[in-house]
Amino acid sequence: MEKDGLNGRLSCVKNEMTHLWGTSFLMGGGAFSLMLTNHSFIGYFWGTIGIIAATVFFRAYMIRRDETMKIVEQLRRVK
C-alpha cells in the first residue's frame, strides 16, 4: 500500500514540476523579450518583474526536484 501511495505522490510532484518548468521558461523568455524590444521604463519595469517571477518559479521547481529525489529514495527502500 505504501508503494502505491508513494507512486501517486511522485506522479503529482512530477506534474507540478512540468508546470513550473514551463512557466519559468515562458516568463523568463517573455521578460527578456520585453526588455530587449521595449526601450522604455515600463518595458524594463515589467521585464524585471518577469525575471524575478521566473526566478521564483525556477526555485520552486528545484524544491520540487529535491522532494522527487526523496520520494524516489523512499521507493528504493520499499522495494
Side-chain angles (χ1 to χ4, degrees):
M1 180 64 180
E2 184 179 343
K3 184 177 174 183
D4 292 335
L6 286 173
N7 280 332
R9 188 169 158 208
L10 181 63
S11 177
C12 288
V13 172
K14 283 175 32 180
N15 189 28
E16 287 179 29
M17 286 175 64
T18 301
H19 293 297
L20 288 168
W21 184 260
T23 302
S24 177
F25 272 91
L26 284 174
M27 281 197 118
F32 277 119
S33 173
L34 188 62
M35 290 178 76
L36 292 175
T37 59
N38 192 354
H39 299 290
S40 67
F41 174 75
I42 298 297
Y44 290 129
F45 174 76
W46 287 113
T48 303
I49 296 296
I51 290 171
I52 291 169
T55 304
V56 169
F57 282 118
F58 185 72
R59 179 67 185 134
Y61 172 84
M62 295 307 287
I63 290 170
R64 288 298 189 195
R65 183 185 175 279
D66 292 340
E67 185 176 343
T68 301
M69 292 299 142
K70 289 177 186 175
I71 294 171
V72 168
E73 195 59 41
Q74 289 175 353
L75 278 170
R76 285 185 184 144
R77 279 188 248 132
V78 169
K79 287 185 177 182

